[in-house]
Amino acid sequence: MNLTLLQLRIFSAIAGHGSVRSAARALGIAQSGVTQQLHNLEQIAGAPLFNRTNRGVILTSVGERLLLRASSILGECTRAEHEIRQLQGDMSGTISFGIATEPLIRTLPLVLSDFHSRFPLVETHLMSGTSRKMISWVRKGSLDFAIALVTDQTDTTDLSVSPLYPSKPAVICRKGHPLQDKKSISDLVDCFWISTRQPDLSESPANRLIDLFSRNALPMPKIVATTEALFDTLHLVAQGDYLSLEPFIVTEHSFFKNALTHIPIRESIQVANICLIHRSAVPLTPAAQKIFAMLASHARTFSRKNRN
């Protein structure tokens, strides 16, 4: 018995909805049919994919692994359908991409408006997170591409990486912070920090904040909370005496310029570039290639103007 796309779609729907009944309703398939397809899939897997509870179903360890594969396979099938239509002139479908803070602020608004005026039937889905997370999503096929931070330590194996411009990070604090005029990171060693990446203390420095302290022979920064959403970080920094290492541009953004400023430390911060990233072995769909090229062009134009 061979695994089928229908089985994977049903399996993914059950995992997403948390019950066979809800999945059947969402798919418009009789519950008995969903149950039978799940049974067939578990026979192929040779192990249960869900644990049944009074509240629904929970993935087993085998089910969790299969869900990763199923999501990737179904995503590629959807992309293939979109690509075939787009190659025939039907520019519709969906593009999913991740974007870091700096290009989100500097580049995306104008490009997105221009793109949708030219291709109104193409939907764009944006995902945010740390650059490390977005790169993992590109690898898994959850994203068509990402615009993310890349350092010398970033693993870019099997990825195509196109540098756009250097990132400009800064130590961010609220306006009126008692240490906002300090000039050295050593003056900030006793401060509490909010980090946008979970540090892994068992390995080499996991982000630029930890690297900054390490390279200046300082003890580990006092990170009191980590977040995956920049707004969460900036809200905490604006409302207290916390510090964070974030893109300088947030202090110029209309939402935050009256609340945030930067501390002009003299020490250099780890170099990172804003880059366009996609899987080397998998071509972008025509629609994804269009917005990819538009983002690259706009970002490089901005970079040239900045240098001049």
Side-chain angles (χ1 to χ4, degrees):
M1 189 182 297
N2 294 322
L3 183 150
T4 68
L5 289 176
L6 175 60
Q7 289 169 346
L8 292 182
R9 289 193 174 100
I10 287 173
F11 165 69
S12 296
I14 296 170
H17 290 277
S19 75
V20 171
R21 179 182 297 176
S22 297
R25 189 181 303 118
L27 293 169
I29 301 174
Q31 186 172 335
S32 59
V34 170
T35 301
Q36 183 60 52
Q37 290 295 339
L38 175 59
H39 173 74
N40 293 343
L41 185 56
E42 289 184 322
Q43 295 254 174
I44 295 169
L49 301 175
F50 295 99
N51 289 319
R52 279 70 172 174
T53 71
N54 293 335
R55 296 185 177 182
V57 295
I58 301 173
L59 285 165
T60 63
S61 58
V62 174
E64 288 176 351
R65 182 58 64 91
L66 179 60
L67 184 61
L68 291 175
R69 298 290 186 185
S71 298
S72 178
I73 291 167
L74 294 174
E76 289 303 323
C77 287
T78 299
R79 280 193 192 90
E81 292 170 3
H82 292 169
E83 185 165 26
I84 291 167
R85 291 201 301 268
Q86 291 165 15
L87 288 170
Q88 294 174 328
D90 177 7
M91 291 298 282
S92 61
T94 302
I95 304 166
S96 296
F97 63 93
I99 189 162
T101 303
E102 285 170 270
L104 175 65
I105 294 173
R106 295 186 190 280
T107 306
L108 186 62
L110 289 175
V111 170
L112 194 61
S113 176
D114 186 19
F115 179 80
H116 282 293
S117 69
R118 295 169 59 186
F119 307 106
L121 298 181
V122 179
E123 298 179 6
T124 50
H125 178 63
L126 309 180
M127 296 178 69
S128 61
T130 64
S131 291
R132 182 180 295 179
K133 178 168 283 190
M134 289 191 288
I135 290 171
S136 74
W137 289 337
V138 170
R139 277 200 171 94
K140 292 174 184 175
S142 302
L143 297 178
D144 291 295
F145 64 88
I147 312 177
L149 285 171
V150 174
T151 70
D152 291 340
Q153 287 75 44
T154 304
D155 178 12
T156 57
T157 307
D158 70 6
L159 298 174
S160 174
V161 179
S162 303
L164 298 177
Y165 52 83
S167 170
K168 185 181 178 182
V171 176
I172 305 298
C173 68
R174 66 171 175 84
K175 285 192 171 181
H177 192 288
L179 301 180
Q180 72 177 42
D181 295 322
K182 294 297 183 181
K183 306 299 183 184
S184 173
I185 190 64
S186 61
D187 296 323
L188 310 178
V189 72
D190 292 323
C191 293
F192 294 115
W193 296 77
I194 308 295
S195 175
T196 51
R197 181 182 294 167
Q198 179 66 44
D200 182 351
L201 305 186
S202 65
E203 299 181 0
S204 58
N207 64 18
R208 289 191 286 182
L209 174 60
I210 295 175
D211 178 77
L212 177 61
F213 274 65
S214 176
R215 285 190 295 106
N216 288 282
L218 296 173
M220 290 291 292
K222 298 177 181 179
I223 300 174
V224 297
T226 57
T227 77
E228 293 182 4
L230 180 66
F231 178 82
D232 297 345
T233 297
L234 299 182
H235 175 73
L236 290 170
V237 171
Q239 297 299 314
D241 284 339
Y242 300 117
L243 304 180
S244 188
L245 190 63
E246 301 298 342
F248 174 80
I249 194 173
V250 300
T251 64
E252 300 175 335
H253 194 280
S254 58
F255 288 173
F256 304 109
K257 65 181 181 181
N258 294 324
L260 299 175
T261 188
H262 77 287
I263 299 176
I265 62 171
R266 69 176 71 93
E267 293 86 359
S268 62
I269 300 172
Q270 182 188 38
V271 174
N273 287 317
I274 300 293
C275 299
L276 275 163
I277 302 162
H278 68 92
R279 289 176 292 170
S280 300
V282 181
L284 294 171
T285 65
Q289 182 61 51
K290 293 284 187 185
I291 196 167
F292 184 94
M294 291 168 70
L295 287 164
S297 175
H298 190 281
R300 286 172 178 144
T301 299
F302 165 81
S303 181
R304 283 195 296 271
K305 288 180 179 177
N306 241 24
R307 287 199 300 269
N308 297 335

